[in-house]
Amino acid sequence: MTTEHRGIAGPYTAYDGLPVLHAVDKDLPLIHPYAPVTPGRYVTPGGGRLTIRPPEVPAHIRITLDHMGCPAQFTDEKNAAFKRLALAAEGHCVQAGCRHRAAYADGVLRIFEVRTGSIALAAFVRAALAVELGDFSPTDRLLQETEALAGPVRQEGEGDQDNGG
C-alpha cells in the first residue's frame, strides 16, 4: 500500500501497522527493545528510523533517530524526554573532559553522541525506544545515574546549541 507524498521523495509504503516508510526503508529490520543492539539501520517500534554508527572517533557512538515528521513523536513530553536522554549522555562526556558537537539536536532528525564505555549502548537505545512508546522511566533512570556520577547536568534550554570542540 502506498500513500501520498509527505515532503520527501516517495512513494511511501505501509510497514507492519507502523506509520508509512519511504520505499528505501521498507527492507530495514525492525529493532526489538530487548534484542541485541549493534551498529546498523533499523525501523523502531514507534515507526522511526534508528541509525547506530560505529564510532568514527573511538570515544563516541553516534545515534540518529528520524521520525519523518510523525506528530505522535513530537509532543512536548517526548521532546523533553529525548532531551533528558541526551543530557544523560552528555554528563558522561563532561565528566571525561571531552566536548563535541551538541549531544542533542531536536526536530525531525534527533542526533545523540554517546561516549563509548559510559552508558551501555543497549540501555541508551532501549531508553530511546521507550520514549517513542511513551515510557520515560528508563530515560529518567539514566539521567539520575549520570547525575550521581558526574553531578548535575545542565538544565533544559541551557546552552542547547553548544558546538564546542
Side-chain angles (χ1 to χ4, degrees):
M1 167 183 191
T2 3
T3 65
E4 74 282 351
H5 180 14
R6 287 192 177 182
I8 296 181
Y12 292 88
T13 308
Y15 183 95
D16 197 24
L18 297 173
V20 293
L21 298 176
H22 190 276
V24 298
D25 295 331
K26 69 179 178 47
D27 293 327
L28 293 177
L30 181 63
I31 189 167
H32 187 280
Y34 297 105
V37 177
T38 58
R41 285 198 71 199
Y42 305 92
V43 173
T44 66
R49 262 65 77 221
L50 177 77
T51 304
I52 304 168
R53 291 205 168 95
E56 292 172 14
V57 177
H60 297 92
I61 296 172
R62 176 171 267 202
I63 299 167
T64 57
L65 184 56
D66 182 359
H67 286 111
M68 302 282 288
C70 176
Q73 299 302 334
F74 292 98
T75 65
D76 290 340
E77 289 108 5
K78 287 186 180 183
N79 285 337
F82 281 122
K83 175 68 180 226
R84 289 192 306 274
L85 183 59
L87 289 174
E90 187 177 42
H92 285 276
C93 288
V94 170
Q95 173 76 6
C98 68
R99 297 299 304 159
H100 48 77
R101 277 184 252 166
Y104 178 75
D106 193 9
V108 175
L109 182 64
R110 291 183 169 102
I111 301 169
F112 304 95
E113 296 278 344
V114 180
R115 186 165 178 77
T116 306
S118 62
I119 297 173
L121 180 60
F124 189 89
V125 169
R126 288 177 185 143
L129 298 178
V131 169
E132 274 195 334
L133 300 174
D135 179 7
F136 308 134
S137 58
T139 292
D140 294 336
R141 192 168 35 253
L142 286 176
L143 184 57
Q144 289 170 356
E145 290 171 3
T146 298
E147 288 182 331
L149 171 74
V153 297
R154 64 185 167 91
Q155 299 300 308
E156 293 180 32
E158 183 183 319
D160 289 344
Q161 298 303 318
D162 179 21
N163 288 326

